[in-house]
């Protein structure tokens, strides 16, 4: 009989050349340098939208490509941190939650680069990354539990009907093609100052399959984030490894459909930061997940569905 361990050993032996190649490439960077470069890439593609932020970040990225010590300059990260904070202060009313988290992480990088010795830099970076993961998971769980529209499944139900990235799921479930358009029209009427809606309520036809799926996703999403929050506090090697594998599973099952790639990139960077030294091979999967998110955003849904 073939055991699970034998299967895993066989898979690992096949992946050894890939791991060795990644290890060789990663070894050319210090931990802080690589994390800083990944963050710069995040800021270029999923940072803030105004030219006041984009131009300095693009210039810094170009400089870093040709002169790597730029990544280690606390002055450079001070400029980025101040620019990010300026963007949030001016556009806080429509900034997504993960934009605030991005700004916190930039300030954390600035503090790490300010440290005088390598041990202090590494410790500062690890503490900041773990704290932001704990803060994110705790905030997500508390916000979900306190939201009636989340706990009754209606949040995901409306999201599935109104976000184009989920259209392929609706097709797979056989949802009435007219229902998404009706839902978007109803939401537009509720938001319009010129449209009178009786009791501010518009009833949307219920699709049983969609409702069950939305409720299942609601429970799963809350449960896995709660478990991740608990595991993040655990220090044992096996529990930490379980945390990373569960987080990788969460990332892959979430971002294959969800359009919030900026948040996914940031989570991968944070998890890579805390796993690179203790679980190097597992940490490479976070880098691979970032690449997979790019593939997920390609128009494969339109081709297949």
């Amino acid at each position: 009989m073939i055991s699970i361990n034998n299967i895993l050993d066989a898979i690992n032996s096949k992946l050894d050349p890939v791991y060795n190649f990644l290890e060789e490439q990663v070894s050319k960077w210090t931990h802080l340098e690589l994390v800083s470069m990944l963050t710069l890439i995040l800021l270029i593609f999923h940072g803030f939208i105004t030219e006041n932020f984009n131009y300095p970040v693009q210039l810094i990225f170009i400089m870093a490509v040709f002169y790597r010590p730029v990544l280690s300059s606390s002055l450079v990260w001070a400029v980025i941190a101040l620019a990010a904070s300026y963007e949030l202060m001016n556009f806080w009313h429509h900034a997504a939650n993960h934009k605030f988290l991005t700004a916190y992480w930039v300030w954390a990088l600035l503090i790490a680069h300010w440290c005088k010795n390598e041990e202090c830099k590494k410790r500062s970076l690890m503490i900041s990354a773990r704290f932001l993961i704990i803060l994110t998971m705790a905030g997500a769980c508390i916000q979900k539990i306190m939201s009636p529209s989340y706990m009754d499944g209606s949040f995901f139900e409306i999201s599935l009907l109104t976000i184009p990235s989920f259209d392929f799921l609706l097709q797979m479930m056989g949802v009435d093609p007219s229902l998404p358009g009706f839902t978007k029209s109803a939401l537009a009427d509720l938001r319009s100052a010129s449209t009178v809606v009786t009791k501010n309520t518009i009833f949307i036809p219920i699709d049983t399959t969609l409702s069950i799926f939305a409720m299942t996703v609601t429970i799963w999403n809350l449960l896995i984030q709660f478990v991740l929050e608990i595991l993040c506090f655990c220090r044992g090697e096996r529990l930490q490894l379980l945390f990373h594998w569960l987080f990788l599973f969460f990332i892959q099952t979430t971002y294959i459909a969800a359009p919030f790639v900026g948040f996914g990139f940031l989570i991968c960077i944070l998890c890579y930061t805390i796993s690179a030294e203790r679980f190097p091979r597992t940490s490479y999967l976070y880098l691979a997940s970032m690449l997979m998110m790019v593939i997920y955003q390609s128009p494969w849904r339109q081709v297949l569905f």
Side-chain angles (χ1 to χ4, degrees):
M1 175 178 277
I2 300 176
S3 67
I4 295 177
N5 286 335
N6 289 337
I7 295 174
L8 293 176
D9 289 340
I11 294 174
N12 281 329
S13 65
K14 295 291 184 182
L15 291 176
D16 272 341
V18 178
Y19 284 130
N20 292 336
F21 173 77
L22 288 173
E23 185 176 5
E24 181 183 354
Q25 299 305 312
V26 169
S27 65
K28 297 176 182 178
W29 303 71
T30 68
H31 186 215
L32 185 53
E33 279 180 344
L34 183 54
V35 170
S36 298
M37 178 56 84
L38 291 173
T39 304
L40 268 183
I41 295 172
L42 165 69
L43 294 174
I44 287 176
F45 293 103
H46 302 284
F48 300 90
I49 60 175
T50 69
E51 296 174 352
N52 294 329
F53 181 83
N54 288 329
Y55 285 162
V57 171
Q58 290 169 4
L59 178 60
I60 290 168
F61 175 76
I62 294 172
M63 293 169 60
V65 169
F66 294 101
Y67 185 65
R68 193 180 294 179
V70 168
L71 292 171
S72 302
S73 170
S74 57
L75 178 60
V76 164
W77 286 101
V79 170
I80 297 175
L82 290 172
S85 300
Y86 175 82
E87 292 294 305
L88 286 178
M89 286 188 291
N90 280 275
F91 305 104
W92 63 269
H93 48 286
H94 60 70
N97 290 342
H98 70 269
K99 299 295 184 183
F100 289 88
L101 188 64
T102 300
Y104 299 155
W105 177 238
V106 171
W107 278 101
L109 281 173
L110 169 59
I111 294 171
H113 284 292
W114 257 339
C115 294
K116 298 300 183 182
N117 58 72
E118 291 301 319
E119 182 61 30
C120 179
K121 290 180 179 181
K122 182 173 67 174
R123 181 173 175 78
S124 172
L125 197 66
M126 295 282 284
I127 291 174
S128 297
R130 186 172 294 277
F131 170 75
L132 289 177
I133 292 172
I134 292 173
L135 179 67
T136 302
M137 292 296 107
C141 290
I142 293 171
Q143 185 181 35
K144 288 174 171 61
I145 292 172
M146 294 180 64
S147 171
S149 63
Y150 182 88
M151 296 304 292
D152 66 6
S154 60
F155 170 79
F156 272 117
E157 192 165 359
I158 296 297
S159 297
L160 289 166
L161 288 170
T162 56
I163 297 178
S165 300
F166 296 135
D167 287 349
F168 77 103
L169 291 174
L170 302 180
Q171 294 182 39
M172 292 174 64
M173 289 184 283
V175 175
D176 185 346
S178 65
L179 190 54
F182 179 82
T183 305
K184 293 173 186 175
S185 177
L187 289 174
D189 288 341
L190 288 170
R191 292 168 179 162
S192 175
S194 60
T195 304
V196 178
V197 179
T198 305
K199 295 183 180 180
N200 290 325
T201 302
I202 298 177
F203 291 97
I204 299 173
I206 295 176
D207 184 279
T208 304
T209 303
L210 177 62
S211 297
I212 293 173
F213 180 77
M215 197 65 212
T216 302
V217 172
T218 296
I219 296 171
W220 162 250
N221 194 265
L222 178 60
L223 179 62
I224 192 171
Q225 290 185 355
F226 181 74
V227 172
L228 287 170
E229 173 71 10
I230 294 175
L231 288 175
C232 198
F233 283 99
C234 300
R235 307 301 295 173
E237 183 172 343
R238 289 187 178 182
L239 289 176
Q240 277 297 292
L241 192 58
L242 175 61
F243 165 81
H244 288 296
W245 281 102
L246 188 60
F247 219 133
L248 285 163
F249 180 72
F250 170 71
I251 289 170
Q252 294 304 318
T253 55
T254 299
Y255 293 100
I256 191 172
F260 314 112
V261 179
F263 179 62
F265 266 50
L266 179 57
I267 287 296
C268 285
I269 292 172
L270 295 176
C271 290
Y272 172 79
T273 300
I274 65 173
S275 63
E277 183 177 353
R278 196 173 185 184
F279 308 107
R281 289 197 168 190
T282 302
S283 72
Y284 300 152
L285 296 178
Y286 287 113
L287 302 181
S289 294
M290 297 175 73
L291 177 61
M292 291 302 297
M293 286 182 210
V294 175
I295 297 174
Y296 292 157
Q297 295 308 299
S298 65
W300 64 271
R301 302 175 185 87
Q302 290 82 348
V303 174
L304 296 179
F305 298 93

